Amino acid sequence: EAQVTQNPRYLITVTGKKLTVTCSQNMNHEYMSWYRQDPGLGLRQIYYSMNVEVTDKGDVPEGYKVSRKEKRNFPLILESPSPNQTSLYFCASSSRRGSRYLDKNIQYFGAGTRLSVL
Amino acid sequence: AQSVTQLDSQVPVFEEAPVELRCNYSSSVSVYLFWYVQYPNQGLQLLLKYLSGSTLVKGINGFEAEFNKSQTSFHLRKPSVHISDTAEYFCAVEGDSSYKLIFGSGTRLLVRP
Protein backbone atom coordinates (compact mmCIF):
# COMPACT_ATOMS: atom_id res chain seq x y z
CA GLU A 1 0.00 0.00 0.00
CA ALA A 2 1.31 3.43 -0.99
CA GLN A 3 1.80 5.52 2.10
CA VAL A 4 3.69 8.17 4.03
CA THR A 5 4.55 7.04 7.54
CA GLN A 6 5.37 9.39 10.37
CA ASN A 7 6.60 8.48 13.82
CA PRO A 8 5.77 9.10 16.55
CA ARG A 9 2.11 10.11 16.28
CA TYR A 10 2.16 11.84 19.63
CA LEU A 11 5.08 13.33 21.52
CA ILE A 12 5.37 15.33 24.73
CA THR A 13 8.77 16.74 25.54
CA VAL A 14 10.44 19.51 27.50
CA THR A 15 12.14 22.67 26.33
CA GLY A 16 15.65 22.09 25.00
CA LYS A 17 15.54 18.30 24.65
CA LYS A 18 16.51 17.38 21.08
CA LEU A 19 14.00 15.28 19.18
CA THR A 20 13.53 13.77 15.74
CA VAL A 21 10.30 13.04 13.93
CA THR A 22 10.76 10.44 11.22
CA CYS A 23 9.04 10.36 7.84
CA SER A 24 9.22 7.58 5.29
CA GLN A 25 7.46 7.09 1.95
CA ASN A 26 7.28 3.96 -0.21
CA MET A 27 6.25 5.58 -3.50
CA ASN A 28 9.74 6.47 -4.79
CA HIS A 29 8.77 10.15 -4.75
CA GLU A 30 11.46 12.73 -5.39
CA TYR A 31 9.82 15.57 -3.51
CA MET A 32 9.21 15.57 0.24
CA SER A 33 8.08 18.33 2.54
CA TRP A 34 7.31 19.14 6.17
CA TYR A 35 4.39 21.32 7.29
CA ARG A 36 3.11 22.50 10.61
CA GLN A 37 -0.59 23.06 11.20
CA ASP A 38 -1.78 25.65 13.71
CA PRO A 39 -5.38 26.76 14.37
CA GLY A 40 -6.48 29.55 12.05
CA LEU A 41 -3.24 29.42 10.06
CA GLY A 42 -3.71 26.34 7.91
CA LEU A 43 -0.57 24.45 6.96
CA ARG A 44 2.73 26.23 6.61
CA GLN A 45 5.77 24.71 4.96
CA ILE A 46 8.85 24.24 7.15
CA TYR A 47 11.36 22.60 4.79
CA TYR A 48 11.24 20.73 1.55
CA SER A 49 13.50 18.46 -0.46
CA MET A 50 13.59 18.11 -4.23
CA ASN A 51 15.69 14.94 -4.10
CA VAL A 52 18.45 13.18 -2.17
CA GLU A 53 20.87 15.68 -0.60
CA VAL A 54 18.79 18.63 -1.88
CA THR A 55 16.87 20.54 0.78
CA ASP A 56 15.62 24.10 1.13
CA LYS A 57 13.78 26.32 3.55
CA GLY A 58 10.05 26.83 3.44
CA ASP A 59 8.11 29.64 5.10
CA VAL A 60 8.82 28.83 8.76
CA PRO A 61 12.21 27.08 9.00
CA GLU A 62 13.50 28.68 12.22
CA GLY A 63 14.28 26.12 14.91
CA TYR A 64 14.13 23.13 12.57
CA LYS A 65 16.60 21.02 10.60
CA VAL A 66 16.11 18.31 8.01
CA SER A 67 18.23 15.84 6.08
CA ARG A 68 17.68 13.72 2.98
CA LYS A 69 20.30 11.01 2.87
CA GLU A 70 17.97 8.46 1.30
CA LYS A 71 15.13 8.98 -1.12
CA ARG A 72 12.50 7.40 1.11
CA ASN A 73 13.34 9.18 4.39
CA PHE A 74 13.05 12.83 5.40
CA PRO A 75 13.43 13.31 9.18
CA LEU A 76 12.57 16.56 10.93
CA ILE A 77 14.95 17.54 13.71
CA LEU A 78 14.30 19.98 16.53
CA GLU A 79 17.70 20.63 18.11
CA SER A 80 16.35 22.67 21.03
CA PRO A 81 12.55 22.60 21.07
CA SER A 82 10.64 25.54 22.49
CA PRO A 83 6.95 25.88 23.50
CA ASN A 84 6.15 27.84 20.32
CA GLN A 85 6.93 24.68 18.36
CA THR A 86 3.97 22.93 19.93
CA SER A 87 1.95 22.04 16.86
CA LEU A 88 0.64 19.33 14.55
CA TYR A 89 3.26 18.31 12.00
CA PHE A 90 2.71 16.67 8.63
CA CYS A 91 5.12 15.11 6.21
CA ALA A 92 4.17 14.92 2.53
CA SER A 93 5.65 13.52 -0.66
CA SER A 94 4.94 13.83 -4.35
CA SER A 95 6.28 12.84 -7.73
CA ARG A 96 7.72 15.48 -10.03
CA ARG A 97 7.79 13.25 -13.08
CA GLY A 98 5.25 12.04 -15.59
CA SER A 99 2.17 13.70 -16.93
CA ARG A 100 0.64 16.59 -15.07
CA TYR A 101 -2.72 14.93 -15.62
CA LEU A 102 -1.91 11.91 -13.55
CA ASP A 103 -0.16 11.59 -10.24
CA LYS A 104 2.34 14.40 -10.70
CA ASN A 105 2.11 17.28 -8.22
CA ILE A 106 -0.33 15.48 -5.96
CA GLN A 107 1.05 15.60 -2.42
CA TYR A 108 0.41 12.58 -0.20
CA PHE A 109 0.32 13.26 3.51
CA GLY A 110 1.25 11.27 6.56
CA ALA A 111 -1.19 10.91 9.48
CA GLY A 112 0.52 13.66 11.47
CA THR A 113 2.60 14.05 14.62
CA ARG A 114 1.14 16.02 17.49
CA LEU A 115 4.00 17.60 19.43
CA SER A 116 3.74 19.33 22.79
CA VAL A 117 6.77 21.16 24.16
CA LEU A 118 6.46 22.00 27.87
CA ALA B 1 3.41 36.14 -4.02
CA GLN B 2 0.66 33.61 -3.99
CA SER B 3 -1.95 33.43 -1.28
CA VAL B 4 -5.19 31.59 -0.55
CA THR B 5 -8.18 32.94 1.35
CA GLN B 6 -10.91 30.76 2.77
CA LEU B 7 -13.54 33.20 3.87
CA ASP B 8 -15.42 30.96 6.27
CA SER B 9 -13.72 29.37 9.26
CA GLN B 10 -16.77 27.23 10.01
CA VAL B 11 -19.84 26.27 8.01
CA PRO B 12 -22.72 24.54 9.83
CA VAL B 13 -25.25 22.79 7.62
CA PHE B 14 -28.04 20.24 8.03
CA GLU B 15 -27.73 16.77 6.59
CA GLU B 16 -28.89 16.45 2.95
CA ALA B 17 -28.61 20.22 2.40
CA PRO B 18 -26.30 21.66 -0.27
CA VAL B 19 -23.05 23.32 0.74
CA GLU B 20 -20.49 25.65 -0.79
CA LEU B 21 -17.07 26.28 0.73
CA ARG B 22 -15.43 29.37 -0.66
CA CYS B 23 -11.83 29.75 -1.77
CA ASN B 24 -10.14 32.71 -3.43
CA TYR B 25 -6.52 32.86 -4.47
CA SER B 26 -4.09 35.48 -5.66
CA SER B 27 -1.34 34.74 -8.13
CA SER B 28 0.33 36.44 -11.04
CA VAL B 29 1.13 33.15 -12.77
CA SER B 30 -0.76 30.10 -13.88
CA VAL B 31 -1.73 27.98 -10.95
CA TYR B 32 -2.79 24.53 -9.99
CA LEU B 33 -5.58 24.36 -7.44
CA PHE B 34 -6.45 21.68 -4.92
CA TRP B 35 -8.95 20.87 -2.23
CA TYR B 36 -7.87 18.59 0.59
CA VAL B 37 -10.01 17.14 3.38
CA GLN B 38 -8.86 16.35 6.90
CA TYR B 39 -11.02 14.02 8.98
CA PRO B 40 -10.53 14.09 12.76
CA ASN B 41 -7.13 12.75 13.83
CA GLN B 42 -6.10 11.99 10.29
CA GLY B 43 -3.80 13.42 7.65
CA LEU B 44 -4.90 15.32 4.57
CA GLN B 45 -6.55 13.52 1.69
CA LEU B 46 -6.91 14.93 -1.80
CA LEU B 47 -10.53 15.68 -2.76
CA LEU B 48 -9.98 17.11 -6.21
CA LYS B 49 -7.57 19.12 -8.31
CA TYR B 50 -7.57 21.58 -11.18
CA LEU B 51 -4.51 21.48 -13.41
CA SER B 52 -5.96 22.67 -16.74
CA GLY B 53 -8.86 21.98 -19.11
CA SER B 54 -12.48 21.93 -17.98
CA THR B 55 -13.17 24.46 -15.27
CA LEU B 56 -15.63 22.15 -13.51
CA VAL B 57 -13.75 19.51 -11.61
CA LYS B 58 -15.31 16.47 -10.00
CA GLY B 59 -13.71 14.80 -7.02
CA ILE B 60 -14.34 12.01 -4.58
CA ASN B 61 -17.36 11.66 -2.28
CA GLY B 62 -19.63 13.67 -4.59
CA PHE B 63 -17.72 16.95 -4.29
CA GLU B 64 -17.03 19.26 -7.21
CA ALA B 65 -15.33 22.61 -7.66
CA GLU B 66 -15.36 25.28 -10.33
CA PHE B 67 -12.29 27.23 -11.36
CA ASN B 68 -13.16 30.84 -12.17
CA LYS B 69 -10.12 32.67 -13.47
CA SER B 70 -11.76 36.11 -13.70
CA GLN B 71 -12.87 35.94 -10.08
CA THR B 72 -9.76 34.01 -8.96
CA SER B 73 -11.98 31.56 -7.14
CA PHE B 74 -12.16 27.80 -6.71
CA HIS B 75 -15.27 27.15 -4.62
CA LEU B 76 -16.09 23.64 -3.45
CA ARG B 77 -19.67 22.36 -3.66
CA LYS B 78 -21.73 19.34 -2.78
CA PRO B 79 -25.46 19.10 -3.57
CA SER B 80 -26.34 16.97 -0.53
CA VAL B 81 -24.06 16.49 2.47
CA HIS B 82 -23.86 13.58 4.88
CA ILE B 83 -22.90 13.43 8.52
CA SER B 84 -19.68 11.72 7.42
CA ASP B 85 -18.65 14.87 5.51
CA THR B 86 -17.96 16.60 8.81
CA ALA B 87 -14.27 17.51 8.53
CA GLU B 88 -11.90 20.38 7.86
CA TYR B 89 -11.40 21.37 4.24
CA PHE B 90 -8.33 23.11 2.89
CA CYS B 91 -7.93 24.91 -0.39
CA ALA B 92 -4.37 25.06 -1.77
CA VAL B 93 -2.56 26.58 -4.72
CA GLU B 94 0.70 25.67 -6.45
CA GLY B 95 2.38 27.94 -8.96
CA ASP B 96 3.30 26.77 -12.43
CA SER B 97 7.03 27.00 -11.82
CA SER B 98 6.97 26.36 -8.11
CA TYR B 99 6.71 23.13 -6.19
CA LYS B 100 5.39 24.91 -3.16
CA LEU B 101 1.84 24.31 -1.96
CA ILE B 102 0.22 27.33 -0.29
CA PHE B 103 -2.74 26.47 1.93
CA GLY B 104 -5.70 28.48 3.08
CA SER B 105 -6.56 28.61 6.77
CA GLY B 106 -9.21 25.90 6.41
CA THR B 107 -12.99 25.66 6.72
CA ARG B 108 -14.58 23.37 9.24
CA LEU B 109 -17.73 21.79 7.81
CA LEU B 110 -20.13 20.73 10.53
CA VAL B 111 -23.03 18.59 9.32
CA ARG B 112 -25.92 18.30 11.72
CA PRO B 113 -28.70 15.68 11.66
Side-chain angles (χ1 to χ4, degrees):
Chain A
E1 180 188 353
Q3 59 185 5
V4 178
T5 303
Q6 293 178 228
N7 279 297
R9 292 290 313 278
Y10 303 91
L11 180 58
I12 301 173
T13 190
V14 295
T15 299
K17 186 176 181 181
K18 180 180 179 179
L19 65 91
T20 299
V21 183
T22 64
C23 174
S24 179
Q25 51 94 5
N26 62 0
M27 295 169 279
N28 201 35
H29 285 165
E30 303 81 33
Y31 181 89
M32 297 185 74
S33 182
W34 276 102
Y35 297 88
R36 60 177 289 173
Q37 181 182 7
D38 301 289
L41 297 177
L43 280 79
R44 294 177 293 168
Q45 190 180 56
I46 303 171
Y47 268 95
Y48 66 96
S49 170
M50 300 290 286
N51 215 323
V52 176
E53 302 292 2
V54 181
T55 64
D56 208 346
K57 297 177 180 178
D59 293 319
V60 288
E62 294 77 22
Y64 305 95
K65 283 176 58 177
V66 293
S67 69
R68 188 90 181 274
K69 293 183 170 53
E70 304 167 282
K71 197 172 187 179
R72 63 183 292 127
N73 296 323
F74 190 45
L76 179 70
I77 303 156
L78 284 72
E79 295 270 2
S80 182
S82 61
N84 64 12
Q85 292 178 298
T86 292
S87 187
L88 180 58
Y89 292 86
F90 288 102
C91 179
S93 73
S94 69
S95 173
R96 298 290 138 177
R97 297 176 183 172
S99 167
R100 280 196 177 276
Y101 297 91
L102 298 175
D103 199 45
K104 188 178 177 183
N105 291 53
I106 307 304
Q107 294 204 21
Y108 293 85
F109 285 81
T113 296
R114 188 168 292 280
L115 172 65
S116 294
V117 183
L118 306 176
Chain B
Q2 296 162 342
S3 66
V4 178
T5 302
Q6 292 183 246
L7 297 167
D8 305 301
S9 60
Q10 183 165 302
V11 173
V13 64
F14 288 107
E15 192 174 20
E16 297 184 6
V19 71
E20 177 180 84
L21 306 184
R22 296 180 292 171
C23 172
N24 288 87
Y25 68 93
S26 67
S27 177
S28 58
V29 299
S30 299
V31 295
Y32 305 108
L33 295 158
F34 306 83
W35 275 99
Y36 283 85
V37 59
Q38 184 181 29
Y39 298 105
N41 298 315
Q42 294 186 28
L44 278 73
Q45 178 184 358
L46 181 70
L47 263 183
L48 49 80
K49 62 184 185 290
Y50 172 79
L51 303 181
S52 67
S54 172
T55 57
L56 184 62
V57 180
K58 293 190 183 298
I60 62 172
N61 300 340
F63 283 92
E64 64 181 30
E66 185 158 18
F67 170 58
N68 188 318
K69 188 174 183 179
S70 62
Q71 297 187 3
T72 60
S73 68
F74 191 54
H75 301 331
L76 181 71
R77 302 185 182 102
K78 186 170 183 178
S80 176
V81 295
H82 303 288
I83 297 286
S84 59
D85 291 323
T86 294
E88 188 143 23
Y89 293 79
F90 293 94
C91 181
V93 61
E94 180 179 311
D96 189 25
S97 59
S98 164
Y99 299 129
K100 187 174 176 179
L101 205 57
I102 306 295
F103 284 88
S105 56
T107 297
R108 187 172 299 277
L109 177 63
L110 181 59
V111 182
R112 297 167 174 165

